[in-house]
Amino acid sequence: MPLHLAVDISREHGESLTAQIQRFIKREIRQGTLHPGTRLPATRRLAEDLGVSRSVVVEAYAQLTAEGFLEAARGAGTRVTGHLSREAVVPALLDEGPVPAVRWDLRPGGHNAPGVPRREWLTAYQRVLQAPRPRGTSYPSLAGVPELRVELACHLGRLRGVRAAPGTVLVVGGFAQALALLCAALPAAGITELAVEDPCHPGQRCFVQDSGMGVVPVPVDEEGIDVDALAATGVRAVLVTPSHQFPTGAVLSARRREALVRWARAVDGWVIEDDYDGGLWYDDRLARPLALQRLDPDRVIYAGTASKLLDPGLRLGWLAAPEELLRRLLRVRAGHDLGTDAFTQLTLAELLRSGLFDRHLRRLTERTAARRRALEEAVGARLPGAAVLGAGAGLHAYVRLPPGTDEAALVAGALRRGVLLRGGAAFGAVPRREAPALVVGHAHLPLSGVAEALRELGEVLSPR
C-alpha cells in the first residue's frame, strides 16, 4: 500500500539522515502521535518520498525494531509495536522496552549490573532475622531505619568523602524515587527548571519532564559540565555526574568543581550530585575523585544507589541533604508511601557494618577493571582509529569512533550480527557536530565475550 509518513529531516543538520529518521519516529511514538499498531510505509516508498537512499530508511527501521519501537512481520509490513502503552502509567527512568534476542548485549543499564553477592547477602539477611530482638517487623521510619542511616553516613564518609551525619541521610527506593522527590520539593523554593548534562541518560531527561519540571540541557566536555554555559541559562538547580560523567566518562575538573559550587551559592540554588556508580574506580592514571558534596554540603545534594554496585532489583538509594531540605522531602514522601522495606535496609546495614560490602566491592573492582582492559585491547585491534575515552570507572565505557563513521549504520549492522548496543547520539538532547561514538556496557560480559563482540563490530566497520 502506498502509505505516507510525515518525517522532518534536514540535510543541513549535523546528524545523519538515518539518525534523524530514528529520532523523529521514536519521538512521535513516545508522544502518542504514532499509535500502537500503526502501519508505516515500506522502506522503498518512504525513501522515495524523502528523497534519500533506501539503505538510510532500512537502517533506521532496523534500529527502531531492535529497540522495540517497531515490529516487522513477513507479508504484514512494519508497524509500531502493538503492545506499547499509549501513555506511561508512571514516569519511567530506565525503561528501554522489549529487545530482540542477541548474542551480545552491550547496552549500559540494569542488565549490566553485577548482581547481588548472594552468599554475603544471605549471610547478612540471616543475621538480621536471627537477632534476639529482630527489627523490621513494624513500619519503617520515612527517613530510613536508623541502623542503615548510621552505616551509610560512615561508609560514604570513608569511601566518598561525603560530609553527612546520620540525621541528614534519607533512604529511598532507588535514584528514581530520589529524583521524583526532589522534582516535587524544589518548586516550593521557586525552582521549576532543572539543568541536566548533555549528553546524559535520555530516560532521566524524560523522567524530569514527566515529573513536571522544565529540562535545560547544558553541554559537557572533557572537563565535565560547562559551568559558564550553565550560568548563562538562568536556572537555579542542576543534576550532574561529576565523578564519572554518564555517558562520556569525563571527570569534573577541580576548577569546574569550585566554579559549580560558587555558581550554586551565587544563584541561591542546588547541585544534585548523582554518584550513580558509587565510586567504582580502577583507573591507575587518576586518583579516585571524592564527592563534590564535600565542598559545600549546604548547596550540594548527594545521591547514591545500590543499583550499580549490588542490583537494581533491590530498589535502594540514598540522599545526603541539608536538614531543612530533608524535612521538605519527608513531607512530600509522606503523601506517597510509608517508607522503604525495613528488612532490606537492615540487611544492607549489616553488609556495610560487617565489611562484607567492602569485600564485594574489591572483587567487583577487579572484575570490571579486567573487562575494561579487554575492551581497550579489542578496540585497538578491531576498530582502527577508535579510542576508549574517559576514566576507568563504573560499568560502561565511551568509545569514540573514527571521524566520518556512520554511527547509526554501525549500530544497525552490529544488530544484524547479534550485537546490541547504543550509539552516542541516543544520549544527546541537542544534536551537535561531534565525533560518532558508542556507549558500551561491559561489566557483565565474560572476557572472551568482549573480544568476540568487538570482532563482530570490526566486521561491520571494515568488512573483508
Side-chain angles (χ1 to χ4, degrees):
M1 295 175 63
L3 300 173
H4 294 275
L5 177 64
V7 179
D8 184 16
I9 61 172
S10 171
R11 286 173 174 76
E12 305 301 321
H13 211 288
E15 194 176 25
S16 71
L17 293 172
T18 296
Q20 288 185 59
I21 294 171
Q22 285 178 226
R23 181 166 52 82
F24 181 87
I25 294 177
K26 190 182 297 186
R27 186 183 69 219
E28 297 297 285
I29 292 173
R30 282 175 169 160
Q31 293 180 349
T33 307
L34 289 176
H35 298 272
T38 298
R39 185 172 176 180
L40 301 188
T43 55
R44 189 182 306 278
R45 174 67 66 178
L46 184 57
E48 291 174 356
D49 291 344
L50 298 178
V52 301
S53 168
R54 185 188 178 201
S55 64
V56 168
V57 181
V58 169
E59 289 165 3
Y61 275 21
Q63 180 60 23
L64 289 167
T65 301
E67 295 182 26
F69 288 93
L70 301 181
E71 55 188 6
R74 185 178 298 276
T78 302
R79 300 175 183 271
V80 177
T81 301
H83 59 268
L84 290 175
S85 299
R86 295 182 183 273
E87 59 182 73
V89 177
V90 293
L93 181 57
L94 296 173
D95 181 27
E96 297 189 39
V99 297
V102 292
R103 186 176 185 194
W104 301 116
D105 187 345
L106 305 187
R107 296 170 301 153
H111 71 285
N112 188 43
V116 173
R118 297 184 181 182
R119 181 179 301 173
E120 288 87 346
W121 186 263
L122 285 173
T123 297
Y125 203 91
Q126 285 179 327
R127 290 174 181 172
V128 169
L129 293 179
Q130 293 172 354
R133 298 182 63 184
R135 298 287 303 275
T137 55
S138 59
Y139 290 113
S141 165
L142 279 182
V145 299
E147 293 90 337
L148 180 55
R149 299 172 77 192
V150 168
E151 294 300 335
L152 282 172
C154 294
H155 169 78
L156 295 174
R158 174 170 53 83
L159 180 68
R160 307 295 297 121
V162 173
R163 293 164 56 189
T168 62
V169 174
L170 170 63
V171 180
V172 291
F175 179 70
Q177 186 180 43
L179 188 56
L181 291 174
L182 287 165
C183 287
L186 288 176
I191 297 175
T192 58
E193 291 183 312
L194 182 65
V196 299
E197 297 169 322
D198 186 22
C200 72
H201 195 301
Q204 213 166 67
R205 285 194 301 269
C206 294
F207 186 87
V208 173
Q209 288 175 326
D210 289 344
S211 298
M213 296 279 284
V215 175
V216 180
V218 179
V220 167
D221 59 24
E222 64 277 0
E223 288 190 73
I225 193 167
D226 185 335
V227 182
D228 290 336
L230 170 64
T233 65
V235 302
R236 292 176 48 218
V238 62
L239 173 62
V240 295
T241 51
S243 295
H244 186 223
Q245 202 278 328
F246 186 86
T248 69
V251 178
L252 190 64
S253 66
R255 72 180 187 93
R256 292 264 180 97
R257 285 172 169 248
E258 294 170 358
L260 187 56
V261 170
R262 287 197 302 271
W263 165 84
R265 293 168 182 160
V267 300
D268 188 24
W270 300 96
V271 178
I272 303 169
E273 178 180 9
D274 177 10
D275 195 22
Y276 65 96
D277 52 18
L280 179 60
W281 189 267
Y282 41 86
D283 196 321
D284 296 332
R285 304 162 300 170
L286 302 170
R288 182 199 305 266
L290 295 177
L292 174 68
Q293 182 263 7
R294 63 187 282 106
L295 297 183
D296 193 339
D298 291 330
R299 289 294 171 190
V300 182
I301 305 161
Y302 177 88
T305 176
S307 295
K308 297 295 186 292
L309 299 183
L310 291 171
D311 195 288
L314 290 176
R315 305 316 306 138
L316 267 181
W318 41 87
L319 289 175
E323 291 185 14
E324 181 181 351
L325 176 61
L326 189 63
R327 287 193 293 270
R328 193 182 308 163
L329 294 171
L330 287 172
R331 285 196 296 271
V332 172
R333 185 176 192 180
H336 293 84
D337 65 42
L338 295 177
T340 303
D341 171 61
F343 285 117
T344 302
Q345 291 187 62
L346 291 167
T347 302
L348 179 57
E350 175 62 23
L351 272 181
L352 294 170
R353 186 201 63 77
S354 65
L356 292 173
F357 182 86
D358 282 78
R359 186 169 72 181
H360 163 69
L361 184 58
R362 288 190 179 277
R363 288 200 304 262
L364 180 59
T365 300
E366 293 174 0
R367 174 186 173 89
T368 47
R371 270 61 183 173
R372 169 77 176 220
R373 289 192 297 269
L375 178 66
E376 291 175 346
E377 292 172 2
V379 167
R382 301 294 181 181
L383 301 179
V388 182
L389 303 184
L395 308 178
H396 81 281
Y398 193 76
V399 181
R400 185 183 61 204
L401 298 169
T405 302
D406 189 330
E407 179 188 299
L410 177 59
V411 170
L415 180 62
R416 290 192 289 270
R417 300 184 72 93
V419 180
L420 179 60
L421 74 168
R422 293 284 182 262
F427 297 83
V430 180
R432 299 191 300 275
R433 297 180 183 274
E434 291 185 349
L438 301 174
V439 181
V440 179
H442 57 72
H444 64 296
L445 296 173
L447 286 175
S448 60
V450 177
E452 291 182 28
L454 267 292
R455 183 172 62 246
E456 297 297 336
L457 284 179
E459 290 294 322
V460 178
L461 191 61
S462 303
R464 296 176 183 176

